[in-house]
Amino acid sequence: SSHFCDQLLRPSLAQPRSWRLGWAAMGAPRTFAVALLAVFALRPAAAEMYCGDANCYEVLGLERVSADAAAVKKAYRKLSLQWHPDKNPENREEATAKFQLIASAYEVLSDEGVKAAYDYFLDHPEEHMYNKMRYYQAVYQPKTPLWAVLVGLTLVISIGQYYHWRERAKSFMQSPALVKLIEDEYLANCKGGRHGYQTGELTAARKEEIKEAFLERLRHDPECPLSFPKWSNTIVPTLVFHAPVAAFKWAKWRITNHSDIQAEKAKEAEEKRQAEEEERQEQEEKHRAAVEKDEKRARNAALLAERKRKEEEKRQRWAEEAAQEEAERQAESAAGQTVEGKIVSVEELRKKGNFLVQVSYGKDGQERVQLVVDREVKVGQGAKVALEGATLPDGKVAKRTKVAGEWSEGVLLSLGSAPAVASVEETEPADAAAPEEELATAGDGDGESKARQRKKKKG
């Protein structure tokens, strides 16, 4: 069961001492390989390459143009026989050095890769680092075929995988948690529970049977370490068998379900197109809403500006009209403080020597002012009156006053000439006009009553 393995994998991470010692033993060859590579990489710069200071072609007595493989081999055989140390016993040291130089020249010129690097070295002696790189690449490059290297590496990895998984399985089998789980499996198979287990209900054979069944279940769990130690799980069977079989099954499934796959792709493409169309429409709707919002905002701003402009014009017009009215009022007030008119009615008051007079002025005599005077006046006589607030000749201001129980709304400044007395010949027309005078008198009475009402209101 996978949950058993989840519980047991944690303690199995602590590998046993034998596994650690195996890796420690493998560390020595690795250290030696690294040291060997360091020796080759850090060789002294002054180390001789190819034939040292000598020319390999000259050592073999060849011309560079005509030094093909056959000529190199022929020259080497001839010179090696000539300078072999056994054939020069009297001058062995010089013959040995010469023989080694001939062998080095042959090694250089017999290998096409090394020969090409050497020719480049002769043509470009100033490129020191590049020539060294080409020399070591040509001389020390692996001679083993690539496929053999890959096969060997794959086998080594497979062996390492197998032993690693086997060590993990051993550690898994030795973990205390697995022992506890096996004991729980024993208890689960006891009819008497723990008491039956302690009293020996299970025989040794039965325990072994339960244990093997439990371990067999774990071996079939792909997540459990017990299922790993198999050669079929290593990289070689995977590359040779499992991967091709899986690829064949996948290709067969693709061919068998080609129509369904194409239908699914078409469905996904249609869903993608619809989603893109919906997104495009949504973007267009947002753009349209934004444009309408901006246009509405612009219209509102224009209306607001127009409204403010009209209100400003209205306020300016009102201010101008108010100023004009104020100027007219002040002009009328300044001009209307002293008026001229005619006396339309005279009434003697109870206080002797005082008369209640009404003077009509303005356009068509529609305006009336009531005065109380202390001298005798006549109807139709012209009069100049200073209204309330007017400045009198003596510098005083005319005020509304109450005299003999009546309000005087101004001050009589002067009187005009009295009207002429009618002649005898005019008596009859005057008599004929009596009804008209009565009507006029009635009209005067109305004016008088209006003056009295205004006086009472002011009082």
Side-chain angles (χ1 to χ4, degrees), residues 41 83 300 317 374 458:
W83 291 98
N300 292 338
R317 187 171 64 254
D374 55 357
K458 291 182 178 180

Side-chain angles (χ1 to χ4, degrees), residues 257-276:
N257 300 277
H258 179 72
S259 57
D260 296 339
I261 294 172
Q262 294 299 323
E264 185 68 23
K265 287 184 177 180
K267 182 179 178 181
E268 292 178 356
E270 181 64 20
E271 292 177 354
K272 182 178 180 182
R273 187 191 63 79
Q274 292 179 358
E276 292 177 352

Side-chain angles (χ1 to χ4, degrees), residues 322-343:
Q324 184 177 359
E325 290 178 359
E326 180 65 20
E328 291 177 356
R329 188 186 62 78
Q330 291 179 358
E332 290 178 358
S333 176
Q337 289 179 354
T338 301
V339 298
E340 293 183 358
K342 289 185 178 182
I343 298 174

Side-chain angles (χ1 to χ4, degrees), residues 92-339:
R92 183 176 292 275
E93 293 183 1
E94 180 182 358
T96 302
K98 188 68 174 178
F99 183 79
Q100 292 176 353
L101 183 60
I102 293 170
S104 299
Y106 175 73
E107 290 178 358
V108 171
L109 299 181
S110 61
D111 191 306
E112 294 296 331
V114 180
K115 181 181 178 183
Y118 180 64
D119 291 340
Y120 188 87
F121 169 74
L122 295 177
D123 296 335
H124 305 85
E126 71 280 357
E127 299 181 9
H128 302 288
M129 295 301 297
Y130 183 70
N131 287 324
K132 288 182 180 180
M133 181 190 71
R134 291 198 62 174
Y135 171 75
Y136 291 120
Q137 183 180 7
V139 173
Y140 297 105
Q141 64 181 353
K143 306 300 181 179
T144 307
L146 180 61
W147 64 269
V149 175
L150 294 177
V151 170
L153 182 63
T154 304
L155 290 174
V156 170
I157 294 175
S158 299
I159 294 172
Q161 283 182 322
Y162 176 77
Y163 280 100
H164 170 67
W165 287 335
R166 192 175 68 172
E167 292 297 328
R168 286 191 63 186
K170 289 181 180 179
S171 176
F172 180 79
M173 291 294 295
Q174 296 173 2
S175 62
L178 178 62
V179 176
K180 180 67 171 57
L181 289 175
I182 293 175
E183 184 177 353
D184 293 340
E185 190 71 13
Y186 292 157
L187 293 175
N189 284 271
C190 284
K191 296 180 180 180
R194 184 172 293 276
H195 177 72
Y197 176 71
Q198 293 176 351
T199 55
E201 179 181 340
L202 297 177
T203 62
R206 177 59 180 161
K207 287 183 178 180
E208 188 65 24
E209 181 181 351
I210 294 172
K211 180 179 178 181
E212 287 298 327
F214 180 71
L215 294 178
E216 187 64 23
R217 291 205 310 268
L218 294 182
R219 290 188 186 97
H220 287 84
D221 186 357
E223 301 295 330
C224 186
L226 292 181
S227 64
F228 293 163
K230 299 176 182 178
W231 283 107
S232 59
N233 292 336
T234 60
I235 192 172
V236 172
T238 301
L239 294 176
V240 175
F241 178 75
H242 296 299
V245 169
F248 175 76
K249 290 181 179 179
W250 177 82
K252 181 180 178 180
W253 177 83
R254 293 280 299 185
I255 295 172
T256 305
N257 300 277
H258 179 72
S259 57
D260 296 339
I261 294 172
Q262 294 299 323
E264 185 68 23
K265 287 184 177 180
K267 182 179 178 181
E268 292 178 356
E270 181 64 20
E271 292 177 354
K272 182 178 180 182
R273 187 191 63 79
Q274 292 179 358
E276 292 177 352
E277 182 67 20
E278 292 177 358
E279 184 177 1
R280 184 185 63 80
Q281 292 178 358
E282 184 179 357
Q283 293 296 332
E284 290 180 354
E285 184 66 21
K286 288 182 179 180
H287 179 69
R288 185 184 61 79
V291 171
E292 291 180 354
K293 186 175 180 180
D294 294 340
E295 292 178 352
K296 184 177 180 180
R297 188 183 293 112
R299 288 196 301 270
N300 292 338
L303 292 176
L304 181 60
E306 182 67 18
R307 186 181 302 171
K308 289 183 178 180
R309 185 186 64 79
K310 290 182 178 180
E311 291 179 355
E312 185 65 25
E313 290 179 354
K314 188 184 293 184
R315 283 195 294 268
Q316 292 180 358
R317 187 171 64 254
W318 287 350
E320 292 175 357
E321 291 177 356
Q324 184 177 359
E325 290 178 359
E326 180 65 20
E328 291 177 356
R329 188 186 62 78
Q330 291 179 358
E332 290 178 358
S333 176
Q337 289 179 354
T338 301
V339 298

